[in-house]
Amino acid sequence: MSKIREIVARLDIPVIVAPMFLVSNPAMTLAACGEGIMGSFPAHGTRSTEQFEAWLIEMREGLAKQRDAGGKPAPWAVNLVVHSSNPRMQGDLELCVKYEVPVILTSKGAPGDVFKAIHDYGGVTLHDIASQRHAEKAIEAGTDGVIAVAGGAGGHTGTINPFALVNEVRQIWDGVIVLAGGMTTGRDVLATQAMGADLAYIGTRFIATTEAMASDGHKAMIVDSKATDVFFSAAIDGAPANWLTKSLIAAGVDLDVLRTTLPGKIVAAGESRKRWKDIWTAGHGVGNIASVLGTAELCRQLKTEYAAARRAIAPLAVAG
Ligand SMILES: Cc1cc2nc3c(=O)[nH]c(=O)nc-3n(C[C@H](O)[C@H](O)[C@H](O)COP(=O)(O)O)c2cc1C
């Protein structure tokens, strides 16, 4: 069995808590791993390479504590922007090598030398893609698996329907596919497997957790929003993303101007970090998020729902 397949087999259910800028942190990641679900955070979610190292140390110590208490924590992951435009890439990558982070979630570009550096210490890579062409490039460069970011995902999103995207990627790849976009329940996780993907990548649902670093306002807006309150635009930070409409209005963004802005042009003022702090992102799954839970409790809920969904479809599986 390939290393990535072995890692997937070690999870209680096939879920990765997706990395989220200004939201994910070691506390959330450790809580998920303690429940047998892969947790993650983005390296760029820290203010500096020094702070990133502090988070890696927190992970190492937290996981050791779980093991000392008899637990079997799930493998964890870090998101790295592997593009030359990221000035921290080299330093952050060196730390991932030093701390032997088991899974690296890579986004932008798909440089083979980065994948090689990760493979050399025994790590595996899952690379973000939003089309069959992106997948082709990442596979050629040597990734161990792809993260298919479909339409409706929180943060920077794809635009292709999840069925269409998984089918196109499956035409060229029999390895691991992680599917992202709009999932909030254990039933959704089982559905990703029925569609031909291997794992679900869930972000937005985990913003509404006690450990998440998101502001209380962001969490409350997620609980109060429906899918129709999510606004797609490439004009807030230059990349296609889904934003909570109420937060755009509160930040004084004119939605009509946004609607008519050409792709790539940026409407919202201020530096990028501030934009993500004041203008909140979320995926289409918001309408199914009714409360803020502890991360461990949410993971247990997903596992219970997943088991119930498997039982519910068992008659369908034998009916054919
Ligand atoms: C608040 C927020 C911040 C995000 N930040 C990142 C990030 O830093 N790096 C990244 O690769 N993806 C990021 N994403 C995308 C997620 O990793 C994932 O693709 C997405 O949340 C999945 O869709 P869902 O939110 O509908 O579950 C972010 C998503 C959200 C909601």
Side-chain angles (χ1 to χ4, degrees):
M1 200 192 288
S2 67
K3 195 153 197 175
I4 183 67
R5 293 265 179 220
E6 274 172 29
I7 286 176
V8 175
R10 278 175 54 199
L11 302 175
D12 280 10
I13 57 169
V15 172
I16 300 175
V17 179
M20 292 180 284
F21 182 53
L22 306 181
V23 173
S24 317
N25 56 16
M28 186 194 261
T29 307
L30 285 165
C33 291
E35 287 297 330
I37 285 178
M38 189 184 299
S40 73
F41 53 80
H44 56 273
T46 57
R47 286 211 165 264
S48 62
T49 296
E50 290 68 35
Q51 195 197 1
F52 179 46
E53 182 159 27
W55 280 24
L56 295 175
I57 293 169
E58 199 176 331
M59 283 304 302
R60 191 170 62 184
E61 290 174 352
L63 292 169
K65 250 191 216 160
Q66 291 185 10
R67 287 191 197 100
D68 288 349
K72 281 196 183 141
W76 56 292
V78 159
N79 166 225
L80 270 191
V81 176
V82 289
H83 192 259
S84 50
S85 62
N86 172 14
R88 278 180 49 183
M89 182 179 91
Q90 203 48 43
D92 289 349
L93 176 63
E94 279 165 20
L95 285 176
C96 290
V97 174
K98 178 174 170 191
Y99 288 87
E100 300 188 342
V101 178
V103 181
I104 307 291
L105 310 166
T106 51
S107 36
K108 310 234 175 93
D113 53 339
V114 174
F115 293 153
K116 189 179 175 310
I118 294 162
H119 291 151
D120 283 350
Y121 72 78
V124 300
T125 61
L126 294 170
H127 190 76
D128 257 19
I129 59 103
S131 68
Q132 189 194 52
R133 181 68 194 121
H134 290 165
E136 227 161 36
K137 283 200 247 173
I139 293 160
E140 267 167 32
T143 189
D144 299 288
V146 293
I147 304 163
V149 185
H156 291 151
T157 183
T159 53
I160 298 176
N161 172 285
F163 290 98
L165 185 58
V166 170
N167 283 333
E168 282 201 19
V169 176
R170 267 289 166 246
Q171 287 167 14
I172 60 161
W173 175 240
D174 62 3
V176 167
I177 299 178
V178 187
L179 178 63
M183 284 169 279
T184 55
T185 70
R187 181 190 289 266
D188 301 344
V189 176
L190 187 61
T192 64
Q193 292 179 295
M195 287 166 67
D198 298 282
L199 291 143
Y201 204 59
I202 305 183
T204 297
R205 180 61 194 89
F206 282 87
I207 300 174
T209 58
T210 45
E211 289 85 352
M213 298 190 300
S215 66
D216 288 345
H218 190 177
K219 293 179 190 183
M221 199 175 281
I222 285 193
V223 169
D224 290 340
S225 293
K226 297 283 177 212
T228 42
D229 299 316
V230 174
F231 195 102
F232 173 82
S233 175
I236 295 295
D237 74 352
N242 282 312
W243 305 97
L244 287 166
T245 312
K246 288 176 235 174
S247 76
L248 291 167
I249 294 167
V253 176
D254 185 331
L255 298 186
D256 285 337
V257 172
L258 207 55
R259 278 190 196 98
T260 51
T261 302
L262 289 172
K265 289 251 162 64
I266 293 175
V267 164
E271 57 138 335
S272 165
R273 195 176 185 98
K274 200 166 175 323
R275 260 181 254 139
W276 280 65
K277 231 179 158 89
D278 299 337
I279 303 175
W280 298 324
T281 172
H284 287 182
V286 279
N288 197 40
I289 302 173
S291 57
V292 177
L293 300 174
T295 299
E297 188 185 358
L298 175 55
C299 290
R300 287 194 292 273
Q301 182 176 300
L302 288 172
K303 289 193 282 187
T304 305
E305 291 166 348
Y306 179 79
R310 283 180 67 146
R311 284 193 300 276
I313 66 150
L316 295 178
V318 290

